[in-house]
Amino acid sequence: MGALPSGEAVYRHICQSCHMAEGQGAVGAGAQIPALAHNPRLQVASYPATVILNGYGAMPWFSGLLNDKQIADVVDYIRTHFGNHYTDKLNPSEVALMRPHLTAEEQ
């Protein structure tokens, strides 16, 4: 995805429509969007990165849309905002190792 220069930009452009402006999540239309605010599951950076890369439940995967830096940036953003205080950074090279690798036949 083009120029989304920060984790906040990625969040506002992509994530906010479901997880809401303050990360409070939502319920409706048969879906329950989990809150990112005060979320202990965000303690380990690989968890939200894996969800973003592969999807989970009703959430689609974004591995084909966001690059490694954008994913690391948005993970760092949600882990340090919305009442979360997990300040260890996720490195884009760590995201690259988590990224699903498809063979030509699977693509």
Side-chain angles (χ1 to χ4, degrees):
M1 171 151 278
L4 294 174
S6 69
E8 181 177 11
V10 173
Y11 185 83
R12 300 285 176 223
H13 186 75
I14 296 174
C15 313
Q16 175 175 287
S17 60
C18 293
H19 290 282
M20 302 294 128
E22 299 302 319
Q24 70 267 29
V27 176
Q32 182 170 356
I33 310 301
L36 299 174
H38 306 284
N39 189 329
R41 290 182 142 182
L42 301 178
Q43 183 174 357
V44 177
S46 62
Y47 174 75
T50 300
V51 172
I52 293 165
L53 284 166
N54 300 302
Y56 184 80
M59 183 176 152
W61 61 90
F62 290 94
S63 57
L65 185 64
L66 298 171
N67 64 39
D68 297 338
K69 182 178 181 330
Q70 290 170 321
I71 291 172
D73 288 349
V74 75
V75 167
D76 291 342
Y77 178 77
I78 65 173
R79 293 179 74 235
T80 57
H81 288 76
F82 315 122
N84 300 308
H85 303 287
Y86 308 115
T87 58
D88 55 307
K89 298 279 186 186
L90 181 63
N91 190 302
S93 64
E94 294 172 283
V95 175
L97 294 173
M98 290 182 255
R99 188 173 284 282
H101 298 282
L102 301 175
T103 64
E105 293 80 27
E106 293 171 315
Q107 293 180 9

